[in-house]
């Protein structure tokens, strides 16, 4: 039995190492000098340097990466909060109330994720342009919220449906309103579901590239747009590129760990 446990831990450690190896390459490349980056055979032991991070923040490309990171943080945070709050409300309604066509409406909400986002890029661009929201945070916040809303609603519907109805009936007898039951009883009981959907929604918003590229120019451009255009006249600056990649991964990792 003990040998089986050791084998399980060994397999888990091997899988963890395999999954984290790309991240290790990104971080170590960001800490290497250019000669070490292109050395063959690869250099595993080296003297780290922070020059690549300094160049990425203050020198390279004329505009530091901090503004793009700030845009991503604002857009991701706002869209995730809106999607989780509004989606939780809709999911609770689907889980607790019966009305004509409720099942068809629930499937229709999910079906909005079936089509690829590129199919909507032209009409969405025209609507954003007519509204005067091009190159604005609000445009991306609304779009990301709309895309995540169907996902959050569908996932949270299952979590709310698993709450025993007797708990809410007892609260009604005690004089609670439906609004109080939702916020004080239902929401605390589905916190794991809220955390899961928040993480997945944040990852989608943080990594989304197509709409951020088409609908922004400079003021609201996010970190994926910055990474896509990261190059100089001599080609791709790998040290600075990996430094930006390390900074781009860090916020999502911290949010997921929290």
């Amino acid at each position: 039995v003990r040998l089986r446990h050791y084998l399980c831990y060994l397999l888990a450690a091997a899988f963890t190492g395999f999954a984290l190896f790309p991240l290790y390459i990104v971080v170590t490349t960001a800490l290497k000098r250019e000669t070490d980056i292109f050395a063959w055979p690869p250099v595993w032991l080296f003297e780290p340097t922070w020059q690549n991070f300094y160049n990425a923040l203050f020198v390279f490309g004329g505009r530091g990466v901090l503004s793009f990171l700030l845009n991503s943080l604002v857009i991701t945070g706002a869209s995730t909060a809106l999607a989780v709050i509004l989606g939780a409300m809709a999911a609770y309604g689907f889980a607790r109330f019966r009305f004509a066509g409720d099942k068809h409406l629930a499937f229709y909400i999910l079906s909005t994720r079936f089509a690829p986002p590129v199919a909507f890029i032209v009409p969405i661009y025209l609507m954003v342009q007519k509204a005067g929201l091009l190159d604005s945070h609000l445009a991306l916040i609304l779009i990301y919220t709309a895309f995540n809303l169907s996902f959050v609603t569908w996932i949270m519907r299952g979590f709310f449906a698993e709450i025993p109805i007797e708990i809410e009936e007892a609260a009604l007898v005690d004089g609670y309103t439906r609004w109080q039951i939702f916020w004080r009883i239902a929401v605390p009981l589905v916190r794991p579901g809220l955390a899961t959907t928040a993480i997945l929604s944040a990852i989608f918003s943080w990594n989304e590239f197509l709409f951020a590229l088409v609908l922004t120019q400079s003021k609201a451009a996010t970190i994926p747009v910055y990474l896509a255009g990261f190059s100089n006249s001599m080609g791709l600056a790998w040290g600075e590129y990996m430094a930006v990649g390390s900074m781009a991964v860090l916020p999502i990792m911290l949010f997921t760990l929290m």
Side-chain angles (χ1 to χ4, degrees):
V1 176
R2 181 174 297 180
L3 178 60
R4 183 185 303 173
H5 287 170
Y6 287 151
L7 289 176
C8 289
Y9 282 121
L10 181 62
L11 290 174
F15 178 79
T16 303
F18 175 78
L20 293 179
F21 185 72
L23 181 62
Y24 168 79
I25 293 296
V26 170
V27 175
T28 55
T29 303
L31 295 173
K32 287 181 179 180
R33 293 179 173 81
E34 188 173 357
T35 54
D36 294 329
I37 293 175
F38 296 102
W40 188 261
V43 177
W44 302 104
L45 300 176
F46 58 91
E47 183 181 352
T49 176
W50 296 99
Q51 186 63 41
N52 293 325
F53 287 90
Y54 178 84
N55 293 341
L57 288 171
F58 305 110
V59 178
F60 191 88
R63 182 185 175 195
V65 68
L66 290 179
S67 59
F68 294 88
L69 282 172
L70 181 60
N71 289 339
S72 289
L73 287 172
V74 171
I75 293 169
T76 299
S79 63
T80 300
L82 284 173
V84 170
I85 293 173
L86 298 176
M89 293 179 182
Y92 181 77
F94 279 116
R96 283 292 179 260
F97 302 107
R98 295 292 175 263
F99 52 89
D102 56 345
K103 294 183 180 179
H104 298 290
L105 182 58
F107 181 77
Y108 168 74
I109 291 175
L110 179 64
S111 68
T112 58
R113 294 297 296 267
F114 290 175
V118 70
F120 306 107
I121 190 64
V122 173
I124 287 179
Y125 177 86
L126 295 176
M127 287 190 290
V128 171
Q129 184 185 44
K130 291 291 184 180
L133 294 177
L134 285 177
D135 200 17
S136 68
H137 296 82
L138 182 59
L140 291 182
I141 289 172
L142 293 176
I143 291 170
Y144 293 168
T145 300
F147 274 103
N148 283 326
L149 195 57
S150 59
F151 170 77
V152 174
T153 301
W154 188 264
I155 296 298
M156 291 306 302
R157 179 190 180 194
F159 282 96
F160 282 119
E162 292 178 357
I163 299 176
I165 190 64
E166 291 79 11
I167 297 177
E168 298 181 11
E169 290 174 347
L172 286 172
V173 172
D174 290 338
Y176 274 51
T177 64
R178 274 294 178 183
W179 188 252
Q180 291 173 325
I181 290 174
F182 173 73
W183 283 112
R184 298 184 181 181
I185 297 176
V187 170
L189 290 175
V190 297
R191 281 181 297 181
L194 291 174
T196 301
T197 53
I199 291 171
L200 295 176
S201 298
I203 291 174
F204 168 82
S205 300
W206 187 267
N207 291 335
E208 203 284 323
F209 172 72
L210 179 63
F211 288 98
L213 176 67
V214 174
L215 300 178
T216 64
Q217 296 176 354
S218 58
K219 294 181 181 179
T222 57
I223 194 65
V225 177
Y226 182 74
L227 284 169
F230 198 95
S231 61
N232 57 23
S233 59
M234 301 300 291
L236 188 63
W238 282 103
E240 290 83 358
Y241 185 77
M242 292 300 183
V244 176
S246 301
M247 290 184 284
V249 170
L250 184 61
I252 286 294
M253 288 186 62
L254 293 177
F255 177 70
T256 303
L257 290 173
M258 287 189 295

